[in-house]
Amino acid sequence: MEFLGKMRLPKGTWGAKRLRAKLQFWAKRRIQTKVTQMAHFLGMRVSIVNPANTSALAFDGSGFVQRNTKRDVAVFATGKTYHADLGASYNIGARYVLRSIHKAISEKMWLSLEAKDPSLAKRMYWTLASLIRVQQALSLQS
């Protein structure tokens, strides 16, 4: 097994609870490493996207969502209900594409897009609706 550094747990943690916490950490890290290695082996590029607020924000741009007690269903402000992980995957994909658009266009053009849509100023609030608005604005400018 790989050495992953010394894991710090609270002082009162011992026994099975301590072992379970260590195993969860190792399993998560090993899965991420294995998937990255397999992707590189197959010639795929890997990109890390900030997952903050991806499942908390509605992909249609209506703001934050309300979650049920099991935390799997998200109710949007517009009243629509979707699976929370599905909405998060839409937002993660949109963040990846928006980041590539941001790198590809000039800073002056990006600032003009931000002036039209202030939600583009913070990457943490990028959603699928943001991507759609950026693509529409870019198609109008061309």
Side-chain angles (χ1 to χ4, degrees), residues 3-75:
F3 176 72
L4 299 172
K6 189 170 182 177
M7 211 178 110
R8 299 203 185 271
L9 294 174
K11 278 193 171 188
T13 308
W14 58 276
K17 187 176 181 182
R18 183 179 185 86
L19 179 64
R20 201 167 39 245
K22 282 186 176 184
L23 289 176
Q24 283 180 336
F25 175 76
W26 289 335
K28 174 187 163 198
R29 178 67 70 196
R30 291 183 79 186
I31 289 169
Q32 287 176 343
T33 305
K34 185 68 174 175
V35 168
T36 303
Q37 289 172 350
M38 289 172 63
H40 286 308
F41 178 75
L42 296 172
M44 297 166 55
R45 288 183 288 167
V46 176
S47 181
I48 306 298
V49 176
N50 183 6
N53 282 338
T54 51
S55 60
L57 289 170
F59 63 84
D60 66 352
S62 61
F64 286 91
V65 298
Q66 297 292 322
R67 305 280 286 277
N68 68 348
T69 55
K70 287 174 49 180
R71 316 253 325 139
D72 60 344
V73 175
V75 180

Side-chain angles (χ1 to χ4, degrees), residues 124-140:
M124 220 163 81
Y125 296 109
W126 286 356
T127 62
L128 182 62
S130 306
L131 174 62
I132 293 168
R133 288 191 300 267
V134 165
Q135 287 181 330
Q136 287 173 348
L138 289 175
S139 67
L140 290 175

